[in-house]
Short mmCIF file of all heavy atoms in Angstrom, two decimals:
data_model
loop_
_atom_site.label_atom_id
_atom_site.label_comp_id
_atom_site.label_asym_id
_atom_site.label_seq_id
_atom_site.Cartn_x
_atom_site.Cartn_y
_atom_site.Cartn_z
N LEU A 709 -5.94 86.43 -51.53
CA LEU A 709 -6.21 87.01 -52.97
C LEU A 709 -7.35 88.10 -52.77
O LEU A 709 -8.27 87.75 -52.25
CB LEU A 709 -6.60 86.04 -53.87
CG LEU A 709 -5.49 84.90 -54.32
CD1 LEU A 709 -5.93 83.61 -54.69
CD2 LEU A 709 -4.65 85.69 -55.50
N CYS A 710 -7.10 89.13 -53.48
CA CYS A 710 -8.08 90.18 -53.53
C CYS A 710 -8.75 90.33 -54.83
O CYS A 710 -8.05 89.85 -55.89
CB CYS A 710 -7.40 91.50 -53.17
SG CYS A 710 -8.51 93.04 -53.40
N ALA A 711 -9.92 90.50 -55.03
CA ALA A 711 -10.61 90.68 -56.33
C ALA A 711 -11.67 91.83 -56.29
O ALA A 711 -12.02 92.25 -55.23
CB ALA A 711 -11.41 89.29 -56.58
N SER A 712 -12.02 92.22 -57.57
CA SER A 712 -13.01 93.28 -57.71
C SER A 712 -13.96 92.88 -58.87
O SER A 712 -13.53 92.16 -59.77
CB SER A 712 -12.40 94.62 -57.89
OG SER A 712 -11.87 94.73 -59.18
N SER A 713 -15.14 93.43 -58.73
CA SER A 713 -15.98 93.23 -59.88
C SER A 713 -17.02 94.51 -59.89
O SER A 713 -17.23 95.07 -59.04
CB SER A 713 -16.75 91.93 -59.74
OG SER A 713 -17.78 92.02 -58.69
N ASP A 714 -17.69 94.55 -61.19
CA ASP A 714 -18.49 95.66 -61.35
C ASP A 714 -19.99 95.34 -60.88
O ASP A 714 -20.58 94.46 -61.42
CB ASP A 714 -18.53 96.01 -62.86
CG ASP A 714 -19.27 97.28 -63.15
OD1 ASP A 714 -19.94 97.81 -62.31
OD2 ASP A 714 -19.28 97.60 -64.43
N ALA A 715 -20.54 96.09 -59.97
CA ALA A 715 -21.79 95.73 -59.49
C ALA A 715 -22.92 96.03 -60.46
O ALA A 715 -23.97 95.52 -60.48
CB ALA A 715 -22.06 96.41 -58.13
N LYS A 716 -22.55 96.96 -61.37
CA LYS A 716 -23.66 97.43 -62.33
C LYS A 716 -23.73 96.41 -63.44
O LYS A 716 -24.64 96.38 -64.22
CB LYS A 716 -23.20 98.83 -62.88
CG LYS A 716 -23.19 99.88 -61.95
CD LYS A 716 -22.78 101.21 -62.57
CE LYS A 716 -21.41 101.34 -63.00
NZ LYS A 716 -20.48 101.20 -61.85
N ASN A 717 -22.63 95.49 -63.52
CA ASN A 717 -22.71 94.58 -64.59
C ASN A 717 -22.43 93.13 -63.79
O ASN A 717 -21.22 92.67 -63.84
CB ASN A 717 -21.63 94.71 -65.60
CG ASN A 717 -21.54 93.65 -66.62
OD1 ASN A 717 -22.51 92.83 -66.83
ND2 ASN A 717 -20.50 93.49 -67.38
N ARG A 718 -23.44 92.67 -63.35
CA ARG A 718 -23.34 91.46 -62.51
C ARG A 718 -22.79 90.29 -63.27
O ARG A 718 -22.31 89.41 -62.66
CB ARG A 718 -24.67 91.09 -61.73
CG ARG A 718 -24.95 92.13 -60.60
CD ARG A 718 -26.27 91.90 -60.16
NE ARG A 718 -26.53 92.54 -58.84
CZ ARG A 718 -27.57 92.57 -58.10
NH1 ARG A 718 -28.63 92.10 -58.63
NH2 ARG A 718 -27.61 93.05 -56.84
N ALA A 719 -22.96 90.34 -64.59
CA ALA A 719 -22.49 89.05 -65.30
C ALA A 719 -21.09 89.40 -65.79
O ALA A 719 -20.51 88.46 -66.43
CB ALA A 719 -23.37 88.95 -66.52
N GLY A 720 -20.45 90.53 -65.30
CA GLY A 720 -19.17 90.78 -65.69
C GLY A 720 -18.10 90.01 -65.12
O GLY A 720 -18.37 89.32 -64.08
N GLU A 721 -16.93 90.25 -65.47
CA GLU A 721 -15.76 89.54 -65.05
C GLU A 721 -15.27 89.90 -63.63
O GLU A 721 -15.37 91.16 -63.28
CB GLU A 721 -14.67 89.77 -66.00
CG GLU A 721 -13.41 88.73 -65.86
CD GLU A 721 -12.48 89.00 -67.10
OE1 GLU A 721 -12.80 89.61 -68.12
OE2 GLU A 721 -11.41 88.57 -66.94
N ALA A 722 -14.85 89.02 -62.81
CA ALA A 722 -14.01 89.28 -61.57
C ALA A 722 -12.63 89.38 -61.93
O ALA A 722 -12.03 88.53 -62.64
CB ALA A 722 -14.38 88.33 -60.47
N PHE A 723 -11.88 90.37 -61.43
CA PHE A 723 -10.40 90.61 -61.53
C PHE A 723 -9.77 90.23 -60.25
O PHE A 723 -10.14 90.74 -59.26
CB PHE A 723 -10.20 91.88 -62.24
CG PHE A 723 -10.74 92.15 -63.41
CD1 PHE A 723 -12.01 92.76 -63.62
CD2 PHE A 723 -10.07 91.89 -64.79
CE1 PHE A 723 -12.65 92.93 -64.79
CE2 PHE A 723 -10.64 92.18 -65.89
CZ PHE A 723 -11.95 92.74 -65.95
N PHE A 724 -8.57 89.60 -60.47
CA PHE A 724 -7.78 89.28 -59.22
C PHE A 724 -6.44 90.00 -59.19
O PHE A 724 -5.77 90.13 -60.18
CB PHE A 724 -7.69 87.68 -59.13
CG PHE A 724 -8.89 86.90 -58.72
CD1 PHE A 724 -9.92 86.79 -59.44
CD2 PHE A 724 -8.94 86.61 -57.30
CE1 PHE A 724 -11.01 86.25 -58.98
CE2 PHE A 724 -10.10 85.99 -56.83
CZ PHE A 724 -11.14 85.80 -57.71
#
Side-chain angles (χ1 to χ4, degrees):
Chain A
L709 290 156
C710 174
S712 73
S713 67
D714 184 358
K716 296 182 292 295
N717 176 17
R718 287 174 160 172
E721 192 174 346
F723 295 88
F724 280 79

